[in-house]
């Protein structure tokens, strides 16, 4: 019996594009993850991330004509696969995560991160002492918002380690990918375009690699947008002003930048702005 043969001629251009581009993306990320230290391989880091961005631009250009049929689970699976290698690495491009972890562990211990700087405290264990020694500017009290500190506390429950903290961040980041897919579908925009975020090297390196908090703020911003938007060809919008106010409040109290979108939310909900304002103000005060 003859073994099954793969007939390349049976594949059309759309099928080749649909399956070849994710495979090429995984190869680029594999080469990037194989670098021993990102800090010492800047030319390779810039070159490979540049190739990935060019590939995403090619996907956007060709996708307008070929419409890749990527289901949401495949987009999320590839997003997870390209994040895992950097999740397992120590943070190389930033040391902010040590401050996050220190503040989260202090919060769980009943200490106020706004009251005392790390330099003014004595580490109770060897692991805490190691984290404290890696905190940038230990002579300063924390500068992060209260909602960020609530997340720091929750993420510190993942073993109280840098790796566990990054696992919590990656889970939220994958939630961002899913919310973006849902938002695009609701707006009748091809949801495959969510790969422009899900497969982009910036969230991969900055969240999975360095462990930055920005993805958590983005998660609540996307959740707020999802509650106030409907199909772009319909006037029947599913507006939930109180939920939007709650979500945007959490987003702003994690990273201040989402505050620039507040006027837009007020314009979208012109008829129901007071419930939005009340929910935003009350949740911010709480």
């Amino acid at each position: 019996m003859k073994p099954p043969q793969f007939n390349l001629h049976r594949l059309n251009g759309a099928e080749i594009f649909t399956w070849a581009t994710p495979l090429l993306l995984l190869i680029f990320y594999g080469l990037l993850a194989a670098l021993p230290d990102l800090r010492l391989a800047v030319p390779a880091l810039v070159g490979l991330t540049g190739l990935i961005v060019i590939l995403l631009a090619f996907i956007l250009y060709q996708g307008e004509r070929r419409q890749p049929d990527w289901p949401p689970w495949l987009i999320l699976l590839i997003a997870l696969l390209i994040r895992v290698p950097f999740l397992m690495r120590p943070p190389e491009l930033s040391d902010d995560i040590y401050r996050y972890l220190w503040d989260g562990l202090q919060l769980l211990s009943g200490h106020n991160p706004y009251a005392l700087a790390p330099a003014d405290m004595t580490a109770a264990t060897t692991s805490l002492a190691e984290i404290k020694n890696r905190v940038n500017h230990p002579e300063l009290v924390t500068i992060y918002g209260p909602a960020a500190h609530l997340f720091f506390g929750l993420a510190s429950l993942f073993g109280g380690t840098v790796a566990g903290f990054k696992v919590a961040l990656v889970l939220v980041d994958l939630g961002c990918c899913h919310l973006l897919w849902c938002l695009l579908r609701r707006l009748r925009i091809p949801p495959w375009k969510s790969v422009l975020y899900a497969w982009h090297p910036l969230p991969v390196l900055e969240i999975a690699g360095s462990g930055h908090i920005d993805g958590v703020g983005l998660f609540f911003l996307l959740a707020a947008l999802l509650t106030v938007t409907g199909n772009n060809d319909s006037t029947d919008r599913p507006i939930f002003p109180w939920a939007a106010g709650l979500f945007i409040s959490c987003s702003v109290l994690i990273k201040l930048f989402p505050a620039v979108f507040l006027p837009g939310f007020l314009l979208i909900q012109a008829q129901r702005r007071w419930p939005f304002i009340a929910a935003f103000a009350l949740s911010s005060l709480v």
Side-chain angles (χ1 to χ4, degrees):
M1 184 176 63
K2 294 183 178 180
Q5 296 182 353
F6 180 75
N7 190 351
L8 185 62
H9 297 289
R10 292 181 180 177
L11 295 176
N12 57 37
E15 291 173 333
I16 295 175
F17 168 76
T18 299
W19 297 109
T21 48
L23 179 60
L24 190 58
L25 183 91
L26 290 173
I27 293 173
F28 287 156
Y29 272 108
L31 294 173
L32 186 61
L35 297 176
D37 192 330
L38 298 179
R39 296 168 297 182
L40 304 179
V42 175
L45 172 65
V46 173
L48 286 170
T49 54
L51 286 175
I52 294 170
V53 172
I54 291 172
L55 179 60
L56 289 174
F58 174 77
I59 289 174
L60 179 62
Y61 173 73
Q62 287 292 328
E64 296 291 345
R65 295 187 299 170
R66 304 191 184 277
Q67 294 295 318
D69 188 21
W70 291 319
W73 65 264
L74 180 62
I75 295 175
L76 285 177
L77 177 61
I78 294 176
L80 176 62
L81 291 176
I82 62 180
R83 283 161 171 77
V84 167
F86 301 95
L87 176 65
M88 307 307 296
R89 299 171 68 116
E92 297 166 330
L93 302 178
S94 172
D95 57 6
D96 289 349
I97 193 171
Y98 295 105
R99 168 71 78 161
Y100 302 164
L101 186 57
W102 172 266
D103 286 354
L105 291 172
Q106 294 307 309
L107 189 65
L108 293 179
S109 300
H111 299 126
N112 183 0
Y114 295 107
L116 290 174
D120 299 328
M121 303 183 68
T122 301
T125 63
T126 304
S127 59
L128 274 176
E130 183 178 352
I131 295 171
K132 176 183 173 181
N133 292 335
R134 293 176 177 269
V135 171
N136 195 359
H137 296 295
E139 72 280 2
L140 302 177
V141 298
T142 187
I143 62 172
Y144 300 102
H149 277 95
L150 291 177
F151 180 81
F152 295 164
L154 291 174
S156 298
L157 294 174
F158 285 67
T161 62
V162 169
F165 200 103
K166 289 168 68 175
V167 167
L169 288 170
V170 167
L171 290 175
V172 175
D173 191 34
L174 293 176
C176 290
C177 300
H178 180 67
L179 287 179
L180 184 58
W181 189 90
C182 294
L183 183 63
L184 293 177
R185 185 180 63 171
R186 178 170 291 180
L187 294 173
R188 300 296 175 88
I189 298 173
W192 64 262
K193 292 185 178 181
S194 61
V195 303
L196 297 179
Y197 175 86
W199 300 352
H200 198 281
L202 185 60
V204 172
L205 293 177
E206 292 300 319
I207 298 175
S210 297
H212 278 132
I213 194 69
D214 303 72
V216 184
L218 177 62
F219 177 86
F220 286 105
L221 177 61
L222 290 172
L225 288 171
L226 199 60
T227 61
V228 298
T229 54
N231 295 334
N232 60 8
D233 58 353
S234 172
T235 58
D236 185 19
R237 293 178 177 271
I239 296 177
F240 303 97
W242 59 270
L246 172 63
F247 291 143
I248 196 66
S249 171
C250 292
S251 182
V252 170
L253 293 178
I254 291 171
K255 299 290 290 189
L256 292 177
F257 179 77
V260 302
F261 298 104
L262 284 173
F265 278 93
L266 292 175
L267 290 174
I268 291 174
Q269 304 174 107
Q271 303 299 324
R272 304 181 183 182
R273 64 180 59 174
W274 289 114
F276 171 82
I277 294 173
F280 175 83
L282 181 60
S283 56
S284 298
L285 289 173
V286 170

